[in-house]
Amino acid sequence: MQNENRRLRIALTKGRLENKTVDLLDKIGYDCTAVRDKGRKLILPVGDTLEAVLAKANDVITYVEHGVCDIGVVGKDTIMEMNGKFFELVDLGFGKCRFALAGPKGRDFYSGHNVKTIATKYPNVARSYFEKQGMDVEIVKIEGSVELAPLLDLSDAIVDIVETGTTLKENGLEVYEDIAPISARLIVNTVSMKLRKAEIEELIAQIEKNL
Ligand code: PRP
């Protein structure tokens, strides 16, 4: 899988994290014209030495774990959920939000003796949070707009990402507990870190200088 002659490959989480990373690479001095004008292309040159691969967050981790991409930019939320084998080297500081436990406003989540049902897109994060609390819960996996679950009485609460809090507020929900802060992270394949150490360290140094 490793080929030291190819450009250093960086997998970017499509969307907001992609745009922020491209802005950062631009600032460092890489020519990002091809990524900015990508159309429907998924692999684009960045400057003379980098190649950007555009992927969904979970796939960024998969590509970096398998070494087909050397580096990745992905949210801490996905890292916490997927628990992969790679180095997490830089907190990029953008894409800031948090994991929270939330539910209908004004309700005491902890009252009563029934096992609570939690809806989430992040079952591993939710499971590990409640395990640490020593609380037995039932977890239901939802694919999107998790806020619907308590509104439809499918769950007592949700574990989800909160950024501005607008989605919760507009749906009569509130944060019960903060679980963990989230931001974009730079991850590196473990073998690439050995084989392409100098290039990767140089890129990281440039990134850290420009954060
Ligand atoms: C995320 C998250 C919340 C919302 C929080 O959803 O799951 O629904 O953003 O943002 P806010 O606090 O600023 O309102 P996303 O937009 O990714 O959509 P999805 O739930 O359909 O995946």
Side-chain angles (χ1 to χ4, degrees):
M1 292 287 185
Q2 297 289 338
N3 173 357
E4 288 170 74
N5 296 319
R6 64 159 165 75
R7 285 164 174 254
L8 200 63
R9 232 179 243 157
I10 180 163
L12 306 182
T13 302
K14 283 198 270 189
R16 233 162 57 83
L17 296 191
E18 167 197 338
N19 296 337
K20 291 270 188 189
T21 312
V22 170
D23 289 345
L24 179 60
L25 293 171
D26 225 2
K27 200 166 147 197
I28 294 172
Y30 288 93
D31 178 0
C32 294
T33 321
V35 201
R36 291 200 192 280
D37 304 339
K38 60 183 179 288
R40 298 290 295 170
K41 273 195 138 172
L42 298 169
I43 304 182
L44 294 309
V46 175
D48 297 326
T49 53
L50 284 183
E51 186 165 72
V53 171
L54 307 181
K56 284 193 90 159
N58 290 2
D59 299 337
V60 166
I61 290 188
T62 303
Y63 294 140
V64 171
E65 270 199 299
H66 286 259
V68 295
C69 292
D70 306 291
I71 300 174
V73 172
V74 67
K76 183 69 180 176
D77 53 327
T78 310
I79 293 175
M80 285 172 69
E81 181 62 22
M82 291 205 30
N83 261 325
K85 193 171 162 285
F86 46 77
F87 297 126
E88 181 187 324
L89 295 185
V90 187
D91 181 346
L92 295 166
F94 51 76
K96 275 197 176 151
C97 49
R98 60 198 160 119
F99 270 128
L101 172 69
K105 200 161 182 243
R107 197 181 288 174
D108 180 5
F109 171 71
Y110 298 100
S111 72
H113 294 290
N114 60 317
V115 172
K116 304 287 190 268
T117 303
I118 307 296
T120 186
K121 268 188 283 189
Y122 301 88
N124 293 330
V125 172
R127 198 169 298 114
S128 112
Y129 173 73
F130 283 105
E131 262 170 29
K132 277 193 203 116
Q133 307 297 311
M135 189 171 165
D136 193 19
V137 295
E138 189 189 329
I139 290 169
V140 181
K141 170 101 196 282
I142 297 290
E143 291 300 331
S145 299
V146 180
E147 294 84 356
L148 278 170
L151 299 179
L152 299 173
D153 275 334
L154 175 67
S155 74
D156 297 289
I158 61 175
V159 166
D160 199 22
I161 289 171
V162 178
E163 191 182 353
T164 61
T166 311
T167 312
L168 292 180
K169 200 167 168 212
E170 293 195 1
N171 291 288
L173 306 172
E174 66 178 356
V175 169
Y176 296 152
E177 309 282 356
D178 281 332
I179 295 179
I182 296 169
S183 57
R185 305 297 160 101
L186 189 129
I187 62 171
V188 179
N189 170 266
T190 51
V191 178
S192 300
M193 198 60 222
K194 289 194 192 109
L195 297 183
R196 309 191 66 156
K197 194 173 185 346
E199 288 165 90
I200 292 172
E201 283 182 348
E202 169 64 18
L203 177 64
I204 289 177
Q206 288 174 318
I207 286 174
E208 284 180 330
K209 240 193 293 168
N210 284 276
L211 282 181

